[in-house]
Amino acid sequence: NAGVTQTPKFQVLKTGQSMTLQCAQDMNHEYMSWYRQDPGMGLRLIHYSVGAGITDQGEVPNGYNVSRSTTEDFPLRLLSAAPSQTSVYFCASRDRDYNEQFFGPGTRLTVL
Amino acid sequence: ILNVEQSPQSLHVQEGDSTNFTCSFPSSNFYALHWYRWETAKSPEALFVMTLNGDEKKKGRISATLNTKEGYSYLYIKGSQPEDSATYLCAFNGATNKLIFGTGTLLAVQP
């Protein structure tokens, strides 16, 4: 199993550009989530999904869109990048409540 | 807004010291409390998932306890080693299916 994979590993954008961060898991997990990591802030939940076709907002959803058309994939879209979105983004999955969450390797995004 | 708090923010100990951290979380709508270990330049890795009041879990020199009625969990490390240096995160799993993380405790163990 590859576990949770994320692409790209690094990305530099200009303000106003859009892009999609890819996330995939091969463990048939129902729950998938996106987090951002900022110094002193820990991991903050952006969006999450409890199954294909179902998504919901987390703590900091503004400026981001998600969709879940398959169990395996959970892309995160930045609609119009802003410097405040400079961060490290982690995708994670788990099979249900009560079970541990597995994290991808992260995507480091810089918005100039 | 769910409030998950961890203390202390950081901790510096000597090799061989035992240490503990605290995670406080909402005592209502509790499903589970997770602990993760996060080394620099890596991804967080799960240590424990705790679901029952009074739960105690152990993995090697690391153990954790859970009090859901008062909303806190303790993580203990016995005989800290330099390889224990990492950020330790707790996460609250409530009725909304969200997993909300605290800001973490940064542990530095000096040889």
Side-chain angles (χ1 to χ4, degrees):
Chain A
N1 284 355
V4 182
T5 58
Q6 291 183 236
T7 56
K9 287 191 175 179
F10 302 94
Q11 183 71 49
V12 179
L13 292 177
K14 294 182 179 178
T15 296
Q17 287 185 312
S18 62
M19 80 158 294
T20 299
L21 307 185
Q22 301 292 343
C23 174
Q25 52 91 11
D26 61 358
M27 298 174 281
N28 203 33
H29 286 172
E30 292 185 33
Y31 293 9
M32 295 186 75
S33 301
W34 276 103
Y35 294 88
R36 59 178 287 174
Q37 178 217 349
D38 302 294
M41 307 288 285
L43 289 169
R44 291 185 292 170
L45 182 64
I46 304 171
H47 285 287
Y48 69 105
S49 169
V50 297
I54 306 169
T55 64
D56 205 347
Q57 295 182 348
E59 302 167 277
V60 288
N62 292 342
Y64 307 95
N65 271 359
V66 291
S67 59
R68 185 97 179 268
S69 55
T70 67
T71 298
E72 294 78 19
D73 300 300
F74 191 43
L76 178 73
R77 295 183 188 83
L78 278 70
L79 309 171
S80 176
S84 60
Q85 293 179 305
T86 293
S87 188
V88 181
Y89 291 84
F90 286 95
C91 180
S93 75
R94 56 190 173 125
D95 61 356
R96 62 179 70 84
D97 285 325
Y98 311 122
N99 287 351
E100 67 181 275
Q101 183 157 262
F102 294 86
F103 286 83
T107 294
R108 184 174 293 275
L109 175 69
T110 301
V111 183
L112 302 174
Chain B
I1 296 177
L2 295 174
N3 214 18
V4 181
E5 296 183 349
Q6 292 188 246
S7 62
Q9 197 171 6
S10 65
L11 201 52
H12 294 256
V13 301
Q14 295 292 319
E15 182 175 354
D17 288 349
S18 293
T19 187
N20 65 85
F21 330 128
T22 303
C23 173
S24 62
F25 51 87
S27 54
S28 58
N29 296 317
F30 176 87
Y31 271 40
L33 192 282
H34 297 224
W35 281 100
Y36 290 81
R37 183 171 180 273
W38 193 3
E39 292 182 71
T40 303
K42 293 188 178 180
S43 303
E45 291 185 345
L47 287 170
F48 307 114
V49 179
M50 309 176 79
T51 57
L52 298 175
N53 185 44
D55 235 358
E56 290 190 29
K57 299 249 180 178
K58 188 174 182 181
K59 186 181 288 188
R61 294 178 290 99
I62 304 176
S63 60
T65 61
L66 179 68
N67 183 324
T68 60
K69 293 183 179 179
E70 296 182 41
Y72 66 84
S73 176
Y74 295 135
L75 188 78
Y76 301 92
I77 302 180
K78 184 178 178 182
S80 302
Q81 299 297 309
E83 58 264 31
D84 295 328
S85 297
T87 296
Y88 290 83
L89 297 167
C90 69
F92 172 76
N93 183 180
T96 59
N97 308 122
K98 300 178 187 179
L99 197 57
I100 302 296
F101 282 80
T103 53
T105 293
L106 175 62
L107 174 66
V109 182
Q110 295 186 328

